[in-house]
Amino acid sequence: YQRRVRDMNIYFIFIQEDNKAKQVNLVGGKFLNLSKLAKEFQIPKGFCISTKAYFEHLENSKEIMNYLKQFENLDNLPSFNYKIIEELFLKSDINNELIEEVKKHILN
């Protein structure tokens, strides 16, 4: 099962420019709180990759998914290794459209 997100607006949420930053299901809790802080404090403008793009990346990365599947049984949870998951993320392929969108927003 693979799904492609065609609307690139789903990938990026801007702190001060986008009302979607108020939706935790799209941006995650850390970014939601950062966007709230930006209303009262000077915080550099930035963006986050949406939770939808994150989950799409997981679905398209067989190695990451295979590693995570072993933890469906919560008895295996104590053996979860953050270093392994970090290494898997660092060597996984990132969607080219996503890379181009990141470049656009970094250069602007």
Side-chain angles (χ1 to χ4, degrees):
Y1 169 73
Q2 289 190 2
R3 64 176 161 56
R4 297 280 312 132
V5 176
R6 297 280 177 217
D7 180 7
M8 293 311 292
N9 291 327
I10 291 172
Y11 281 123
F12 299 98
I13 309 298
F14 294 90
I15 293 174
Q16 291 140 344
E17 299 169 12
D18 197 334
N19 286 333
K20 292 179 184 175
K22 298 174 186 160
Q23 298 176 31
V24 72
N25 63 320
L26 294 178
V27 298
K30 289 179 185 177
F31 194 77
L32 175 68
N33 290 328
L34 187 59
S35 67
K36 287 178 183 178
L37 285 172
K39 293 176 185 174
E40 297 186 32
F41 300 97
Q42 272 194 315
I43 293 176
K45 289 186 180 184
F47 62 89
C48 79
I49 297 170
S50 73
T51 55
K52 190 166 190 158
Y54 169 76
F55 286 115
E56 179 184 308
H57 180 73
L58 285 181
E59 289 174 4
N60 292 325
S61 175
K62 289 182 173 119
E63 285 187 86
I64 294 172
M65 289 305 289
N66 287 337
Y67 181 73
L68 292 175
K69 279 181 186 174
Q70 66 182 307
F71 302 106
E72 288 175 352
N73 177 347
L74 294 179
D75 293 337
N76 295 334
L77 199 54
S79 65
F80 185 84
N81 186 322
Y82 290 98
K83 283 290 182 194
I84 291 173
I85 200 77
E86 178 183 12
E87 289 172 16
L88 291 173
F89 264 96
L90 289 174
K91 72 178 191 176
S92 64
D93 291 328
I94 298 174
N95 174 317
N96 285 333
E97 290 173 294
L98 183 57
I99 291 170
E100 291 305 313
E101 286 297 310
V102 169
K103 285 180 185 177
K104 266 198 284 189
H105 293 291
I106 289 174
L107 296 174
N108 287 334

